């Protein structure tokens, strides 16, 4: 008689334990054991957080242990159970780990592979091959694609959070009840007395301070004090919560007829607007021609002067908002949108400042170009309109689409095409934690028709849907690759564009993440042929392209991967998008958007079509009323909070990988991230406005809020 010691670990979540009957079957290459009862009900086994051990007697030689089957049967009332892992000590003294990290619901069973990750081509035993295929067949029936809105990335086929598979639900649905959380936030912020005061305007800009009685921080206070300044306005395009729109401008678009005469007072290099726009290759060539190609030190300095003096014009174009319907869900309050174009300039102090704003995509007498030299309130109102437009694009495109919906799409394809034993599944599972759940709750309560998004946002009532449908026609895979995204906007030179901390910190986190992904993938993929021969990884990538992106010809999402380098980049995009990119554009919302005039969620008067009309009274009538301000404040506060027991980048408490080489790669990753965090902390000590959104110890592993 052979004796196996079976150790079973129960999860730490609330209600993770069970009083049901738990059975185990050990499956070897030669034989399988009889089904053995591990627990007698009400004997305090399988309690929350418990680790219980049992002896399993087997009369025959099982051979090499390859599978463990766990079954749960109802004792009295149906009781879900979360199993973390099973460890089996064989008669020879070998310890075999079987990661689980799954819920057993109803009278269900789960079959576990040992913890060593394996590619499909490495499985030789017929039992494990069959189990691998069976697991995927069940997953594909469980995780089904669904089009929530026409033209959107595909999402999970579930209308409510409680309809999701238990494994991807939140531990407690109360954790992500948007109505409850927003109301709680409004109460915590002491603005509940204003939350029903719709149509009631504030009297003065200073009145907005009355909703900041409780929660302030250094950044919020600095924004409150300096939001009117052009330098603060420009700084936010680099390091605010939407630092992904600003582009270097080499040629003015025809729809923005700005002349040198209009902006000459804002330019401080004694160059014309045309000279500022582009690197003057002609002047550089003439200089070299006149002085010869043998340059002295002085000549080199002069040469560099010609090279670097130009190229100081930047642009933010909100053309996506053109033609989008403004929120009309409240018949008592007319709401408005604009599609502005903002021209910016890097001055000799290396500050980005606005120099021209047109509040329409169509030039003409009804679309004046507002300038810093205009009357104070004209210029201030034009900037407020840009900030409001920026808020709309941030919420729908930068945040909702490019992090939440894209991460969910990757997550669904992962569950459908990669079994738990696959190394890419093990790598990605921490980075999709609760993502499908948070998006399902958002579709259920937040961005649905009549949802919370309609209460305070100008693009509520369907405008957000129109915007995403527009963007999806041009969204590309390469735009999700952080270095490419920076480079495509001409923002990659840190000497030309200093103090772009989003870019600088993002590069470091991207490279650390890519290095980690590479270290892990190189363990399993020794060459390109191993990638090409992995049918599961190819099916995963194809599922994303053909179903997730609905086989869009323009998206450029790969349909297959031909090399190890392509695989590493693909997985780096997934991990970075879910962690660093989401952190960069989400957790600064309260800092940058809580001061309502700096990020109005809606505007109640149309954009001015003439100069000289703006007054303080018009500005107050344009800005959100007291009720919408309170809902907006509650929303950005709630969205900026970390989850309880948040897992930050590099934290992998669930040991899906058991191999020492992978654990060493994780430790290396954590050390590199810790070094980045420390250097950012040191830098921020000297800053009036610290930039900490891409500090690794503040980057959650996944999109979960």
């Amino acid at each position: 008689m052979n004796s196996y010691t079976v150790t079973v670990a129960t999860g730490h979540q609330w209600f993770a334990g069970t009083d049901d009957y738990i059975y185990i079957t050990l499956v070897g290459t030669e034989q399988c054991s009889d089904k053995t009862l591990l627990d007698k009900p009400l004997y305090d086994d399988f309690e929350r957080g418990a680790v219980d051990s049992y002896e399993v007697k087997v009369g025959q030689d099982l051979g090499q242990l390859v599978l463990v089957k766990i079954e749960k049967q109802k004792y009295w009332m149906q009781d879900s159970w979360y199993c973390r892992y099973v460890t089996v000590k064989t008669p020879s003294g070998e310890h075999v780990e079987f990661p689980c990290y799954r819920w057993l619901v109803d009278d269900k069973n789960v079959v576990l592979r040992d913890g060593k990750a394996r590619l499909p081509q490495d499985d030789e035993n017929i039992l494990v091959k069959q189990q691998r295929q069976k697991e995927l067949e069940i997953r594909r029936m469980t995780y089904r694609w669904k089009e929530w809105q026409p033209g959107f990335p595909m999402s999970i086929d579930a209308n409510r959070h409680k309809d999701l598979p238990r494994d991807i639900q939140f531990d407690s649905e109360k954790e992500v009840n948007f109505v409850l959380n927003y109301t709680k936030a409004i109460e915590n912020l002491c603005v509940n007395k204003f939350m029903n005061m719709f149509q009631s305007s504030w009297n003065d800009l200073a009145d907005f301070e009355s909703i900041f009685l409780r929660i302030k921080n250094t950044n919020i206070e600095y924004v409150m004090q300096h939001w009117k300044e052009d330098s603060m306005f420009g700084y936010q395009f680099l390091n605010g919560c939407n630092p992904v729109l600003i582009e270097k401008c080499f040629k003015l678009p025809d729809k923005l007829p700005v002349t040198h005469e209009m902006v000459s007072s804002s330019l401080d290099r004694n160059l014309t607007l045309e000279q500022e726009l582009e690197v003057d290759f002609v002047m550089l060539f003439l200089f070299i021609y006149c002085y010869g190609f043998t340059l002295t030190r002085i000549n080199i300095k002069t040469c560099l002067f010609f090279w670097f003096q130009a190229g100081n014009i930047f642009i933010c174009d909100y053309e996506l908002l053109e033609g989008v319907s403004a929120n009309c869900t409240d018949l008592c309050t007319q709401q408005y949108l604009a599609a502005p174009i903002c021209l910016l300039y890097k001055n000799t102090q290396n500050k980005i400042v606005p120099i021209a704003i047109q509040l329409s995509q169509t030039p003409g007498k009804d679309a004046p170009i507002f300038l810093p030299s205009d009357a104070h309130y004209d210029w201030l109102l034009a900037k407020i309109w840009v900030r409001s437009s920026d808020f709309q694009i941030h919420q729908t495109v930068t945040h909702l689409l490019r992090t939440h919906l894209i991460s969910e799409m990757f997550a669904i394809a992962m569950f459908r095409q990669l079994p738990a034993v696959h190394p890419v599944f093990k790598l990605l599972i921490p980075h999709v934690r609760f993502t499908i759940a948070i998006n399902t709750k958002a579709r259920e309560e937040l961005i649905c028709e009549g949802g919370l998004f309609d209460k305070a946002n100008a693009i509520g009532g369907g405008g957000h849907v129109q915007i995403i449908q527009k963007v999806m026609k041009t969204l590309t895979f390469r735009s999700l690759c952080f270095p490419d995204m920076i480079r495509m906007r001409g923002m990659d030179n840190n000497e030309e564009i200093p103090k772009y901390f989003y870019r600088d910190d993002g590069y470091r986190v991207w490279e650390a993440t890519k290095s980690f992904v590479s270290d892990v993938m190189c363990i399993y993929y020794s060459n390109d042929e191993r990638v090409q021969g992995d049918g599961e990884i190819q099916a995963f990538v194809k599922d994303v392209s053909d179903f997730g992106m609905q086989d869009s010809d323009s998206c450029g999402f790969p349909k297959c991967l031909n090399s190890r380098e392509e695989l590493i980049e693909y997985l780096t995009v997934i991990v970075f998008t879910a962690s660093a990119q989401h952190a960069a554009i989400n957790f600064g919302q309260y800092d940058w958007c809580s001061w309502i005039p700096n990020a109005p969620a809606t505007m109640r008067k149309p954009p001015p079509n003439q100069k000289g009309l703006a007054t303080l009274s018009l500005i107050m009538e344009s800005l959100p009323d007291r009720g919408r301000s309170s809902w907006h404040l509650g929303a950005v506060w709630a969205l900026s909070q970390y989850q309880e027991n948040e897992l930050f980048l590099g934290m992998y408490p669930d040991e899906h990988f058991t191999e020492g080489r992978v654990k060493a790669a994780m430790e290396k990753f954590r050390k590199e991230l810790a070094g980045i965090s420390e250097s950012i902390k040191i830098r921020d000590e000297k800053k009036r406005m610290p930039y900490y959104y891409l500090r690794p110890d503040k980057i959650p592993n996944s999109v979960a809020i």
Side-chain angles (χ1 to χ4, degrees):
M1 184 70 69
N2 296 310
S3 179
Y4 291 79
T5 302
V6 176
T7 301
V8 182
T10 298
H12 294 280
Q13 303 95 319
W14 288 107
F15 310 113
T18 185
D19 291 323
D20 287 349
Y21 295 104
I22 303 297
Y23 295 88
I24 193 167
T25 303
L26 306 179
V27 181
T29 54
E30 302 296 330
Q31 299 284 341
C32 66
S33 72
D34 295 332
K35 185 167 74 172
T36 304
L37 176 64
L38 293 184
D39 174 46
K40 293 181 180 179
L42 305 180
Y43 271 52
D44 293 332
D45 290 340
F46 307 113
E47 296 295 312
R48 173 175 171 248
V51 179
D52 303 300
S53 295
Y54 308 88
E55 293 298 317
V56 176
K57 302 295 183 179
V58 180
Q60 65 271 38
D61 180 15
L62 300 181
Q64 182 185 355
L65 195 60
V66 292
L67 299 172
V68 165
K69 181 178 181 180
I70 302 174
E71 299 178 66
K72 185 175 75 68
Q73 292 183 8
K74 182 173 69 174
Y75 165 65
W76 180 250
M77 298 179 63
Q78 206 57 258
D79 194 12
S80 298
W81 174 52
Y82 187 86
C83 177
R84 286 189 289 149
Y85 61 83
V86 174
T87 301
V88 180
K89 181 182 178 182
T90 67
S92 65
E94 179 188 9
H95 286 80
V96 186
E97 299 177 57
F98 294 85
C100 184
Y101 304 106
R102 289 182 235 175
W103 288 93
L104 276 75
V105 182
D106 302 330
D107 291 341
K108 295 295 176 64
N109 65 74
V110 62
V111 179
L112 306 177
R113 294 280 301 268
D114 71 273
K116 184 178 179 181
R118 291 177 178 85
L119 301 182
Q121 58 263 50
D122 295 335
D123 275 341
E124 298 177 353
N125 182 280
I126 187 65
L127 287 174
V128 297
K129 284 185 176 182
Q130 290 174 344
Q131 173 54 34
R132 191 172 191 133
Q133 187 59 37
K134 184 177 179 181
E135 179 184 354
L136 289 178
E137 289 172 357
I138 294 172
R139 292 254 208 89
R140 288 168 191 147
M141 290 187 292
T142 305
Y143 296 86
R144 302 175 303 277
W145 293 111
K146 179 182 179 180
E147 185 180 59
W148 184 65
Q149 293 284 351
F152 271 47
M154 295 284 270
S155 54
I156 195 73
D157 185 7
N159 294 325
R160 299 168 299 177
H161 177 266
K162 65 181 181 181
D163 298 332
L164 294 171
R166 184 65 184 91
D167 285 332
I168 60 171
Q169 291 182 21
F170 281 99
D171 295 334
S172 168
E173 196 166 357
K174 288 184 178 180
E175 293 178 18
V176 69
N177 185 308
F178 284 107
V179 176
L180 181 65
N181 289 349
Y182 281 27
T183 304
K184 182 180 177 181
I186 289 169
E187 290 176 356
N188 288 342
L189 295 164
C190 293
V191 294
N192 45 315
K193 63 183 178 182
F194 300 122
M195 63 186 296
N196 293 314
M197 297 176 66
F198 294 98
Q199 291 85 49
S200 175
S201 298
W202 302 94
N203 297 319
D204 189 87
L205 290 169
D207 284 356
F208 285 104
E209 293 187 32
S210 63
I211 58 177
F212 280 95
L213 300 177
R214 289 287 295 276
I215 301 175
K216 293 182 182 179
N217 63 38
T218 301
N219 281 2
I220 292 172
E221 292 182 349
Y222 197 83
V223 171
M224 289 170 60
Q225 295 165 7
H226 299 277
W227 71 279
K228 294 181 183 179
E229 298 171 9
D230 287 353
S231 58
M232 171 60 76
F233 178 89
Y235 179 83
Q236 294 178 71
F237 289 106
L238 299 180
N239 300 308
C241 59
N242 196 26
V244 301
L245 290 187
I246 186 170
E247 297 182 28
K248 201 158 193 184
C249 182
F250 297 103
K251 183 180 184 301
L252 287 180
D254 293 339
K255 61 184 178 181
L256 183 65
V258 175
T259 66
H260 173 71
E261 289 70 27
M262 291 180 180
V263 299
S264 60
S265 60
S266 298
L267 310 180
D268 61 2
R269 287 185 176 83
N270 295 320
L271 298 175
T272 66
L273 175 61
E274 290 71 24
Q275 291 170 329
E276 291 279 15
L277 274 167
E278 56 189 24
V279 177
D280 200 336
F281 293 101
V282 175
M283 289 294 292
L284 182 64
F285 175 79
L286 289 175
F287 176 84
I288 294 175
Y289 179 81
C290 293
Y291 283 88
F293 288 89
T294 304
L295 300 177
T296 66
R297 181 179 177 185
I298 295 176
N299 288 347
I300 289 174
K301 290 179 68 176
T302 309
C303 179
L304 291 176
F305 172 83
F306 281 116
W307 181 269
F308 288 115
Q309 280 290 296
N312 298 302
I313 304 298
F314 302 85
I315 193 168
C316 273
D317 189 346
Y318 297 90
E319 62 181 338
L320 284 171
L321 293 171
E322 177 76 357
V324 172
S325 304
N327 191 339
C328 59
T329 57
D330 182 356
L331 299 179
C332 298
T333 302
Q334 181 75 43
Q335 299 179 65
Y336 297 90
L337 288 168
I341 310 170
C342 181
L343 203 64
L344 301 119
Y345 174 66
K346 186 193 76 174
N347 62 27
T348 53
Q349 286 76 47
N350 282 327
K351 293 182 178 180
I352 302 287
V353 294
I355 58 173
I357 294 171
Q358 182 176 286
L359 298 179
S360 170
Q361 293 287 306
T362 305
K365 64 176 184 177
D366 292 330
I369 296 174
F370 293 94
L371 307 168
S373 55
D374 289 340
H376 172 72
Y377 287 127
D378 277 349
W379 182 235
L380 181 61
L381 183 56
K383 290 192 294 181
I384 289 173
W385 266 104
V386 172
R387 294 297 308 144
S388 181
S389 300
D390 193 79
F391 179 83
Q392 315 305 332
I393 297 299
H394 168 264
Q395 291 296 316
T396 52
V397 180
T398 310
H399 188 199
L400 175 58
L401 172 60
R402 293 177 63 90
T403 61
H404 278 260
L405 300 184
I406 291 296
S407 291
E408 178 183 6
M409 179 185 69
F410 285 127
I412 297 169
M414 181 202 76
F415 281 114
R416 288 171 50 83
Q417 305 299 343
L418 301 178
V421 73
H422 199 289
V424 172
F425 180 94
K426 291 173 179 280
L427 176 77
L428 294 183
I429 190 67
H431 300 288
V432 300
R433 179 174 178 258
F434 298 147
T435 298
I436 298 175
I438 191 69
N439 287 0
T440 303
K441 287 295 287 186
R443 287 187 288 268
E444 186 180 350
E445 297 178 352
L446 186 62
I447 59 174
C448 57
E449 184 177 353
L452 291 173
F453 201 73
D454 289 353
K455 282 188 175 293
N457 294 281
I459 50 173
H464 58 304
V465 174
Q466 296 175 36
I467 293 172
I468 290 178
Q469 289 168 336
K470 279 188 176 185
V471 178
M472 281 296 293
K473 295 176 181 178
T474 57
L475 178 68
T476 66
F477 177 76
R478 296 251 52 96
S479 71
L480 299 175
C481 302
F482 186 81
D484 291 44
M485 180 265 287
I486 296 291
R487 194 179 307 114
M488 285 188 291
R489 294 185 292 112
M491 301 295 292
D492 51 316
N493 191 315
N494 59 3
E495 292 186 359
E496 291 184 20
I497 311 165
K499 299 180 181 179
Y500 191 9
F501 304 117
Y502 164 74
R503 173 202 60 203
D504 300 339
D505 297 352
Y507 274 150
R508 298 178 69 185
V509 176
W510 170 273
E511 289 302 323
T513 302
K514 187 176 182 180
S515 177
F516 168 62
V517 171
S518 177
D519 288 345
V520 175
M521 288 299 101
C522 287
I523 295 172
Y524 303 99
Y525 297 94
S526 55
N527 52 48
D528 295 344
E529 288 72 25
R530 296 273 288 170
V531 176
Q532 296 165 13
D534 184 347
E536 289 171 352
I537 204 68
Q538 300 298 340
F540 165 58
V541 171
K542 195 172 191 305
D543 212 16
V544 169
S545 175
D546 289 0
F547 289 93
M549 291 298 294
Q550 303 198 54
D551 202 20
S552 171
D553 293 332
S554 61
C555 69
F557 275 67
K559 294 180 180 293
C560 64
L561 298 175
N562 295 311
S563 69
R564 189 170 64 179
E565 185 57 37
E566 287 180 1
L567 172 64
I568 290 167
E569 181 183 61
Y570 193 90
L571 299 179
T572 303
V573 165
I574 298 174
V575 175
F576 186 88
T577 299
S579 56
Q581 183 62 19
H582 180 257
I585 56 86
N586 179 74
F587 292 102
Q589 290 189 78
Y590 190 64
D591 288 356
W592 293 102
C593 303
S594 57
W595 180 245
I596 308 297
N598 189 59
T602 190
M603 298 290 277
R604 295 179 298 138
K605 293 291 182 182
N609 57 11
Q610 297 179 45
K611 294 187 180 185
L613 298 180
T615 62
L616 179 59
S617 177
L618 177 61
I619 290 175
M620 300 314 299
E621 291 172 5
S622 299
L623 288 170
D625 54 40
R626 296 169 192 259
R628 288 180 175 81
S629 297
S630 300
W631 278 102
H632 169 87
L633 189 61
V636 297
W637 183 85
L639 292 172
S640 300
Q641 304 308 301
Y642 294 104
Q643 292 285 336
E644 187 177 358
N645 302 318
E646 188 75 78
L647 297 177
F648 294 98
L649 191 58
M651 295 172 62
Y652 304 118
D654 292 353
E655 294 190 19
H656 293 276
F657 284 107
T658 60
E659 298 97 312
R661 292 175 67 188
V662 180
K663 292 182 178 181
M666 289 177 176
E667 184 58 30
K668 174 188 170 186
F669 185 38
R670 281 190 284 269
K671 286 182 179 179
E672 189 166 358
L673 294 175
I676 296 172
S677 293
E678 186 59 31
S679 66
I680 291 175
K681 287 179 185 177
I682 293 171
R683 178 196 70 198
D684 283 352
E685 287 175 356
K686 305 171 185 177
K687 290 177 57 60
R688 289 177 296 181
M689 289 195 71
Y691 184 84
Y692 41 69
Y693 311 117
L694 280 171
R695 208 174 80 194
D697 60 356
K698 286 183 170 289
I699 298 175
N701 268 332
S702 63
V703 177
I705 184 65

